[in-house]
Amino acid sequence: MSYQHILVAIDLSEDSKQVIDKAVALARPLNANISFIHIDVNYSELYTGLIDINLADTQQDSMEASQKQLEQLTQYANYPIHHTLVGSGDLTIELCDTIKQFNIDLVVCGHHQDFWSKLISATRQFLNCTPVDLLVVPLKGE
């Protein structure tokens, strides 16, 4: 099967470069489109009622900062990036919606192989409901 549009899920850590390298190495010989996505924390879901901040402004500032980091990673990729997307909310829902909206046929993401990822893993949750192929790049814990 030849992939036509690859979605790279990025957490904006330094490890994101390993995931990008893997996606570009796969896309280049196929001449496939690549899009990047980062899902930010949805601050309104974390709100406990004990703090007095403007959540909309905080969310907007966070998304703008994420977009800037994503643009830097676009330069790092040294490959044409079709879309750079920043969302917020549930990772699995956001990824599935994006897959449908942009005709994605492969998702590439990283998985940290550390203690915390054994307990909580967004990749594992997504694996259970993805409608397309998924390439998981192992990221060694320190």
Side-chain angles (χ1 to χ4, degrees), residues 52-106:
D52 183 22
I53 60 172
N54 185 333
L55 293 177
D57 288 346
T58 302
Q59 186 76 43
Q60 184 64 29
D61 291 346
S62 176
M63 290 181 81
E64 287 174 5
S66 296
Q67 186 67 39
K68 285 179 185 174
Q69 286 181 278
L70 214 49
E71 288 169 9
Q72 291 172 350
L73 289 170
T74 297
Q75 295 299 318
Y76 168 82
N78 196 26
Y79 187 86
I81 304 303
H82 204 61
H83 299 285
T84 56
L85 309 164
V86 175
S88 67
D90 181 86
L91 178 74
T92 299
I93 292 170
E94 293 296 321
L95 286 176
C96 288
D97 288 348
T98 302
I99 288 166
K100 290 175 189 165
Q101 182 179 355
F102 293 95
N103 270 345
I104 304 297
D105 50 11
L106 174 67

Side-chain angles (χ1 to χ4, degrees), residues 8 15 19 42-43 49-50 58 73 96 100 127 133-134 140:
V8 184
D15 291 330
V19 179
N42 187 344
Y43 289 102
L50 300 175
T58 302
L73 289 170
C96 288
K100 290 175 189 165
L127 178 64
D133 291 354
L134 175 65
K140 301 292 183 201

